[in-house]
Amino acid sequence: MWLQKEFQLSARSRGFHLITREIVEALPELKLIQCGLLHVFIKHTSASLTINENADPTVREDMESFFNLAVAEGAPYYRHEDEGSDDMPAHIKSSLLGSSVMLPISNGRLNLGTWQGIYLGEHRNHGGRRRILLTLQGE
Amino acid sequence: MWLQKEFQLSARSRGFHLITREIVEALPELKLIQCGLLHVFIKHTSASLTINENADPTVREDMESFFNLAVAEGAPYYRHEDEGSDDMPAHIKSSLLGSSVMLPISNGRLNLGTWQGIYLGEHRNHGGRRRILLTLQGE
Amino acid sequence: MWLQKEFQLSARSRGFHLITREIVEALPELKLIQCGLLHVFIKHTSASLTINENADPTVREDMESFFNLAVAEGAPYYRHEDEGSDDMPAHIKSSLLGSSVMLPISNGRLNLGTWQGIYLGEHRNHGGRRRILLTLQGE
C-alpha cells in the first residue's frame, strides 16, 4: 500500500514546535498499516523536521537558543542577505537538521520511543504556513 | 517483503561506536532481499545514528571531541538541566546527527561504500542499553 | 516496483553543488512511478547530500563558508590527520549533513518544493568522482 497526502501546518513562531499530533491527525490511514514507514517531508528550505524530546518545553527553547548561537545572523561573510538577516541562517539550519524524517509504523501506529516527538524547526521570523508531504507505505 | 525487528544494543560508553556488525547479525533476513532498503531507528532522544569511517578508531575519537566542543555542557542559557549536564547537549547532538539511517540493500547485503560503517552516537555518560527498531523492505 | 542504479557524479571542487539534474537524468524510470520514494545515497564518508535552495548560488557559497568555520581544519585535538588537514573536517561535515536524502515522487516526478534542490557537499579539496546509489520504489 502506498499513499501520499500534502497538507499545510498552521503558521508557527520562530523556534521548535511539536507537530506529532498534527501529522497523525492528517493521516487516519495509519491504522491500516501493520508494518510500514512514514516519510514526512517539508517542501521549504528555511524550516526543518527532526525528532526530539516530547515532554518538556524547555528542550525546544534550549534547542532554539543553541541553534541561534551556532548559526549566527549577520555573519560578515554572508553574501545571501537580500531576504533578511534570518534567511541565510534558516537555510543552514535546514541542512543541519534535515528536510524530512522517516518513521516506523507498527500495528497501525507510529512506533516511536516513549519520549520521542516530531519537531518542526521554524527558522524564519515569519515563515507562515508550511507545506508537508506525507508518503505512507507498508502492508 | 516487509519485516520489523526490535532489539537492544549493548550499553556503550559516551562516544561514537561502530555497530554495523550488531545490526547485520540481528537481521539474517537481509540475505533474502535482492533490492531493498533497511531503516535503522533509535528510540531515544539522547543518542544518535550516523554513517562514517569504519577503519580508524581515531575518527570516532575526533568526532566525540568535536561534538563535545561544538555542543557545550553547562551553557548559561540552558533551562533543561534537571537530568544532568550531559542531557541537554545529548538532545542537541541527537538532532544534529539524526535518529535514523536508511541503508540500501543489494543482493542480500548492505550496499555501503568500502569505508562506510554505522555509528551509534552515545551522548549520555551512562546511557545504558539502547533500543533499535529495524524495518526491512524489498524484494 | 523496485530499481537500483549506481552511477558516478563528475568530480567537483570543494563546496556545495546542485546535482538535481544529474540525478533525474540518471533515472528515466522516474516517470513510471505514480507514488513513491527515491533514496539517494553517497558511498563516501567525506562528502554529503542535503536539500537546500536551488536558485541563488550565493547560498551554496555561504554554506561552504559557514561549514568551514564551524568545522575547522587543524584543530589541536584532531588525531586523524594522516590524509590531510581537510580529511577529518570532511568526515564531521558528512555526519552533520548526512549521507543520503529521501525524496518523494508523485506522478512521475520528484515532488520537491519550488525552491528545493539536491546538493552534493564535496568536503575534500580533491574528492574526485563520487559514487551514488539510487534506490527507487513505488507504484
Side-chain angles (χ1 to χ4, degrees):
Chain A
M1 173 179 163
W2 283 88
L3 183 147
Q4 265 178 345
K5 195 175 290 194
E6 189 168 324
F7 78 108
Q8 289 194 308
L9 291 172
S10 57
R12 298 303 213 293
S13 59
R14 177 166 161 171
F16 290 88
H17 304 273
L18 259 182
I19 58 166
T20 316
R21 187 176 304 174
E22 271 180 88
I23 301 291
V24 170
E25 289 179 352
L27 209 59
E29 297 86 352
L30 262 182
K31 66 173 70 70
L32 304 174
I33 305 289
Q34 287 306 301
C35 177
L37 290 168
L38 175 62
H39 185 247
V40 186
F41 183 70
I42 191 162
K43 296 176 77 172
H44 303 270
T45 60
S46 56
S48 62
L49 297 173
T50 188
I51 295 170
N52 220 306
E53 209 259 8
N54 63 12
D56 182 351
T58 64
V59 172
R60 272 106 74 194
E61 296 169 19
D62 288 355
M63 289 268 289
E64 177 66 6
S65 301
F66 171 83
F67 281 97
N68 286 341
L69 284 166
V71 189
E73 291 193 28
Y77 56 82
Y78 287 155
R79 299 183 54 194
H80 180 82
E81 298 201 293
D82 288 353
E83 297 174 52
S85 66
D86 59 327
D87 187 52
M88 190 59 222
H91 290 309
I92 295 169
K93 292 169 185 173
S94 159
S95 278
L96 280 172
L97 290 157
S99 302
S100 69
V101 288
M102 183 68 103
L103 307 167
I105 305 166
S106 310
N107 305 317
R109 303 181 59 169
L110 295 182
N111 191 345
L112 304 180
T114 309
W115 304 105
Q116 288 181 310
I118 310 168
Y119 281 23
L120 166 70
E122 174 53 75
H123 305 307
R124 296 302 306 265
N125 294 331
H126 304 286
R129 306 191 71 179
R130 296 297 196 171
R131 282 179 300 144
I132 298 285
L133 179 55
L134 304 173
T135 302
L136 177 67
Q137 54 170 326
E139 62 178 12
Chain B
M1 172 179 162
W2 282 88
L3 183 147
Q4 265 179 345
K5 195 175 290 194
E6 189 167 325
F7 77 108
Q8 289 194 308
L9 290 173
S10 56
R12 298 303 213 292
S13 59
R14 178 166 162 173
F16 290 88
H17 304 273
L18 260 182
I19 58 166
T20 316
R21 188 176 303 174
E22 271 180 87
I23 300 291
V24 170
E25 289 179 352
L27 208 59
E29 297 86 352
L30 263 181
K31 66 174 69 69
L32 303 174
I33 305 289
Q34 287 305 302
C35 177
L37 289 167
L38 174 63
H39 185 246
V40 186
F41 183 69
I42 191 162
K43 296 177 76 173
H44 303 269
T45 61
S46 56
S48 63
L49 297 174
T50 189
I51 294 170
N52 220 305
E53 208 259 8
N54 64 12
D56 182 351
T58 64
V59 173
R60 274 105 75 193
E61 295 169 19
D62 288 355
M63 289 267 290
E64 177 66 5
S65 301
F66 172 82
F67 281 97
N68 286 341
L69 283 166
V71 189
E73 291 193 29
Y77 56 81
Y78 287 156
R79 299 182 55 195
H80 180 82
E81 299 201 294
D82 288 353
E83 296 173 53
S85 65
D86 58 328
D87 187 52
M88 191 59 221
H91 290 310
I92 295 169
K93 292 169 185 172
S94 158
S95 277
L96 281 172
L97 290 156
S99 303
S100 68
V101 288
M102 183 70 104
L103 308 168
I105 304 166
S106 309
N107 305 318
R109 304 181 59 169
L110 295 181
N111 191 344
L112 304 180
T114 308
W115 305 105
Q116 288 181 311
I118 310 167
Y119 281 23
L120 166 70
E122 173 54 73
H123 305 306
R124 297 302 306 267
N125 294 331
H126 305 285
R129 303 190 71 177
R130 297 297 197 172
R131 282 179 301 145
I132 299 286
L133 180 54
L134 303 174
T135 302
L136 177 67
Q137 54 171 325
E139 63 179 12
Chain C
M1 171 178 163
W2 283 88
L3 183 147
Q4 264 177 346
K5 195 175 292 195
E6 190 167 324
F7 77 108
Q8 288 194 310
L9 291 172
S10 57
R12 299 302 213 292
S13 59
R14 177 167 162 171
F16 289 88
H17 303 273
L18 261 181
I19 57 167
T20 316
R21 186 175 305 173
E22 271 180 87
I23 300 290
V24 170
E25 289 179 351
L27 208 59
E29 297 87 351
L30 263 181
K31 67 174 69 69
L32 304 174
I33 304 289
Q34 286 306 300
C35 178
L37 290 168
L38 174 63
H39 185 247
V40 187
F41 182 69
I42 191 162
K43 296 177 78 172
H44 303 269
T45 60
S46 56
S48 63
L49 297 174
T50 189
I51 294 170
N52 220 306
E53 209 258 9
N54 63 12
D56 182 351
T58 63
V59 172
R60 273 106 74 194
E61 296 170 18
D62 288 356
M63 289 267 289
E64 177 66 5
S65 300
F66 172 82
F67 281 97
N68 286 340
L69 282 166
V71 189
E73 292 191 29
Y77 55 83
Y78 287 155
R79 299 182 54 195
H80 180 82
E81 299 201 294
D82 288 353
E83 297 173 52
S85 65
D86 60 327
D87 186 51
M88 190 59 221
H91 290 310
I92 295 169
K93 293 169 184 173
S94 158
S95 278
L96 281 171
L97 289 156
S99 304
S100 68
V101 289
M102 183 68 105
L103 307 168
I105 305 166
S106 309
N107 305 317
R109 304 181 58 168
L110 295 182
N111 192 343
L112 304 180
T114 308
W115 304 105
Q116 289 181 309
I118 310 167
Y119 281 23
L120 166 71
E122 174 53 73
H123 305 307
R124 297 302 307 266
N125 294 331
H126 304 286
R129 304 190 72 178
R130 296 297 197 173
R131 282 179 301 144
I132 298 285
L133 179 55
L134 304 173
T135 302
L136 177 69
Q137 54 171 324
E139 64 179 11

